[in-house]
């Protein structure tokens, strides 16, 4: 069919609008302001108890939204109760100085020396926590990489290499974190254990599908259901040629043999004084995107299950969404959320959302049906993989726009080179850093166009 460019342009504007509504729903400042409880006395309530004037309050923030979350908390809390300076670990894109806090710009997704410095600062800050103190922990996506605290015998370099190998393997992030938790002193309830016996409340923006507390930032304030044996199983599933550092394998082996205590489980007394509160998530952002799509006049269909697995396979899942009951009287929005993976086979540049967008554009023309369409896949933090793009937004004209570049989009997809191809089409989704992170959102819009 001939393309209706005006309709396509309107759909592109609407897709971006709907995506941005989902991002706004995870606004870190609003999440903190809506979650902190202030008693009639004007003092905060942490872990169910009012913080009295005789007590003090400490604050630790980690993740891509940590600066905004810490700033919002400080604005709400009585200054005389705060025992600072608090500690913030954030990625470089969201870094800025914050009064009353030590702020560290840490590496992400691969940890670095600055992250280790941040982790050691947190450990020093928690060393003398007492029973009459309270600790507010502000957690957002990316916290696992941003606050690395290598366990004894594990060097930062070995942890970096292990992280690289796991991320390149295509393992789901939960599996990656199963290993990382057993190589750290702060993850997997480690922060709560170090702060005990103080009362602790964690306010959490979740970037994990299903909001598993033990997986968000590798669960620094949550019990851990995984074991050294689970970590060993994850490593066994890696490419046999992957050179997992010897120190990592030795620690995991010692843990399996019971020579090293495993991470704390829910019956550990540490968690009797801990409250974990999820205040933003992918599902909440997806609901906001749904409301915005309806307000823009779309019929709305939300995929019942999150998009997981290989990004290019997920593109076909969205395309195959059941639209049998769509009358076509109004345009249709098919929405999804999730966190896919990419098994790296090539040496190109891109990320899971760019890979999904390009894979969608390459679906057989017969499956792009009889309507105008636009497909957007974006990371809510504004950064998809190691690139400056949030993802991609493609339409039926994408492949035509690629041709003048001489690139073969299918071959480049096999090289994991989606960034270069989408850039040639003008189809990179560029939002800049959003200051939050609740995984990814997908928006497929369809319209009959001119009749």
């Amino acid at each position: 069919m001939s393309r209706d460019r005006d309709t396509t342009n309107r759909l592109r504007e609407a897709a971006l609008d709907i995506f941005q509504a989902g991002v706004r729903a995870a606004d870190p400042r609003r999440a903190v302001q809506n979650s902190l409880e202030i008693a009639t006395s004007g003092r905060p309530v942490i872990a169910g108890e009012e913080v009295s004037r005789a007590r003090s309050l400490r604050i630790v923030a980690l993740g891509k939204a940590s600066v905004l979350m810490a700033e919002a908390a400080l604005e709400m809390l009585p200054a005389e109760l705060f025992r600072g300076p608090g500690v913030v670990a954030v990625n470089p894109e969201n870094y800025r100085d914050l009064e009353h806090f030590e702020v560290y710009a840490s590496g992400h997704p691969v940890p670095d020396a600055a992250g280790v410095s941040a982790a050691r600062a947190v450990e020093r800050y928690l060393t003398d926590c007492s029973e009459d103190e309270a600790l507010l922990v502000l957690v957002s996506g990316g916290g696992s990489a941003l606050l690395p605290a290598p366990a004894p015998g594990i060097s930062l370099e070995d942890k970096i290499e292990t992280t690289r190998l796991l991320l390149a393997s295509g393992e789901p992030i939960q599996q990656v974190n199963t290993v990382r938790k057993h190589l750290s002193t702060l993850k997997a309830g480690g922060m709560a254990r170090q702060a005990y016996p103080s009362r602790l409340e964690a306010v959490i923006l979740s970037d994990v599908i299903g909001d598993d507390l033990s997986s968000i930032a590798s669960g620094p304030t949550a019990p851990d259901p995984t074991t050294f044996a689970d970590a060993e199983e994850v490593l066994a599933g890696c490419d046999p040629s992957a050179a997992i550092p010897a120190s990592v394998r030795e620690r995991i082996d010692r843990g399996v043999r019971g020579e090293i205590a495993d991470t704390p489980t829910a019956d550990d007394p540490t968690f009797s004084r801990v409250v974990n509160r999820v205040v933003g998530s992918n599902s909440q952002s997806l609901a906001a995107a749904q409301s915005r799509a309806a307000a823009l006049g779309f019929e709305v269909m939300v995929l019942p299950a999150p998009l997981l697995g290989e990004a290019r396979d997920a593109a076909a899942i969205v395309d195959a969404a059941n639209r049998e009951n769509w009358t076509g009287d109004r345009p249709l929005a098919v929405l999804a959320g999730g966190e896919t993976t990419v098994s790296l086979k090539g040496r190109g540049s891109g990320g899971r959302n760019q890979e999904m967008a390009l894979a969608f554009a390459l679906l057989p023309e017969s499956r792009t049906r009889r309507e105008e369409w636009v497909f957007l896949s974006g990371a809510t933090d504004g950064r998809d993989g190691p690139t400056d793009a949030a993802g991609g937004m493609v339409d039926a004209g994408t492949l035509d726009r690629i041709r003048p570049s001489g690139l073969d989009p299918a071959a480049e997809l096999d090289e994991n080179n989606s960034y270069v191809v989408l850039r040639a089409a003008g189809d990179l989704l560029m939002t800049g850093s959003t200051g939050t992170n609740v995984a990814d959102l997908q928006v497929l819009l369809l319209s009959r166009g001119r009749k």
Side-chain angles (χ1 to χ4, degrees), residues 7 91 104 128 132 138 147 172 199 202 244 265 267 280 333 374 401 422 425:
T7 298
N91 59 324
Y104 294 82
D128 59 348
D132 64 350
L138 307 170
L147 203 66
R199 288 175 294 107
I244 301 295
T265 56
D267 59 357
V374 166
R401 295 193 294 275
L422 293 175

Side-chain angles (χ1 to χ4, degrees), residues 12 29 39 45 96 139 160 295 328 397 401:
R12 290 179 72 93
R29 293 180 62 87
V45 176
R96 61 183 169 84
V139 181
I160 288 173
R401 295 193 294 275

Side-chain angles (χ1 to χ4, degrees), residues 31-52:
V32 170
Q33 290 165 352
N34 291 343
S35 64
L36 284 182
E37 185 180 351
I38 305 298
T40 55
S41 64
R43 293 188 288 274
V45 176
I46 301 295
E49 293 183 31
E50 183 177 327
V51 180
S52 72

Side-chain angles (χ1 to χ4, degrees), residues 173-183 218 224 226-227 230-232 234 252:
I173 192 62
Q174 289 86 346
Q175 299 293 84
V176 174
N177 285 348
T178 293
V179 176
R180 292 200 288 195
K181 285 187 288 190
H182 287 84
L183 306 178
S218 295
D224 183 31
T226 71
T227 64
D230 295 324
E232 182 181 54
V234 173
I252 299 299

Side-chain angles (χ1 to χ4, degrees), residues 26-359:
D27 176 73
R29 293 180 62 87
R30 185 171 62 184
V32 170
Q33 290 165 352
N34 291 343
S35 64
L36 284 182
E37 185 180 351
I38 305 298
T40 55
S41 64
R43 293 188 288 274
V45 176
I46 301 295
E49 293 183 31
E50 183 177 327
V51 180
S52 72
R53 294 188 186 281
R55 298 172 174 175
S56 60
L57 172 68
R58 301 174 188 239
I59 301 176
V60 171
L62 60 149
K64 295 179 180 180
S66 56
V67 169
L68 290 173
M69 295 179 80
E71 187 174 56
L74 206 58
E75 289 173 357
M76 294 187 66
L77 300 173
E80 68 272 14
L81 296 181
F82 178 51
R83 181 171 178 180
V87 184
V88 172
V90 70
N91 59 324
E93 293 88 343
N94 293 322
Y95 173 88
R96 61 183 169 84
D97 291 330
L98 184 60
E99 191 176 4
H100 306 303
F101 286 91
E102 296 177 8
V103 184
Y104 294 82
S106 306
H108 184 277
V110 177
D112 63 6
V116 174
S117 295
R120 300 313 179 206
V122 169
E123 291 178 324
R124 290 193 299 271
Y125 190 45
L126 301 183
T127 297
D128 59 348
C129 273
S130 61
E131 187 171 358
D132 64 350
E133 287 186 306
L135 174 64
L136 179 63
V137 181
L138 307 170
V139 181
S140 55
S144 186
L146 295 172
L147 203 66
I154 305 294
S155 70
L156 173 62
E157 290 71 23
D158 286 350
K159 196 164 186 180
I160 288 173
E161 182 59 21
T162 302
T163 300
R164 287 188 193 279
L165 292 169
L166 289 169
L167 291 174
S169 72
E171 290 281 359
I173 192 62
Q174 289 86 346
Q175 299 293 84
V176 174
N177 285 348
T178 293
V179 176
R180 292 200 288 195
K181 285 187 288 190
H182 287 84
L183 306 178
S184 172
T185 58
L186 282 177
K187 295 175 174 59
M191 188 181 297
R193 180 173 274 179
Q194 291 190 29
Y196 186 80
S198 65
R199 288 175 294 107
L200 185 157
E201 180 160 328
V203 174
I204 302 168
L205 275 176
S206 170
D207 65 337
V208 171
I209 304 306
D211 303 333
D212 173 18
L213 292 172
S214 69
S215 292
I216 304 166
S218 295
T221 63
D224 183 31
T226 71
T227 64
F228 276 109
D230 295 324
E232 182 181 54
E233 186 175 344
V234 173
L235 292 180
C238 290
D239 184 337
S241 65
I244 301 295
S247 65
V248 171
R249 289 197 179 278
E250 180 183 356
R251 177 175 172 82
I252 299 299
D253 289 345
R254 290 184 62 205
V256 171
R257 295 195 300 267
E259 297 173 14
I260 301 174
D262 221 319
T263 48
T265 56
D267 59 357
D268 191 293
T270 296
F271 301 109
S272 65
R273 295 177 66 79
V274 173
V275 172
N276 290 295
R277 190 190 308 274
V278 175
V279 297
S281 66
N282 187 260
S283 59
Q284 293 175 24
S285 286
L286 186 57
Q290 179 180 3
S291 295
R292 184 56 183 161
L296 290 174
F298 288 86
E299 290 186 34
V300 183
M301 171 185 174
V302 179
L303 297 194
L307 289 182
L308 304 171
E310 286 289 332
R312 64 181 65 190
D313 297 335
I317 293 172
V318 177
D319 183 61
N322 187 341
R323 298 182 291 274
E324 291 180 358
N325 296 324
W326 179 40
T327 65
D329 294 336
R330 290 188 294 156
L332 177 68
V334 180
L335 308 180
E339 187 170 66
T340 58
T341 56
V342 174
S343 295
L344 293 177
K345 299 177 181 178
R347 297 179 177 273
S349 174
R352 59 181 182 257
N353 289 285
Q354 295 161 67
E355 181 132 337
M356 193 189 306
L358 181 57

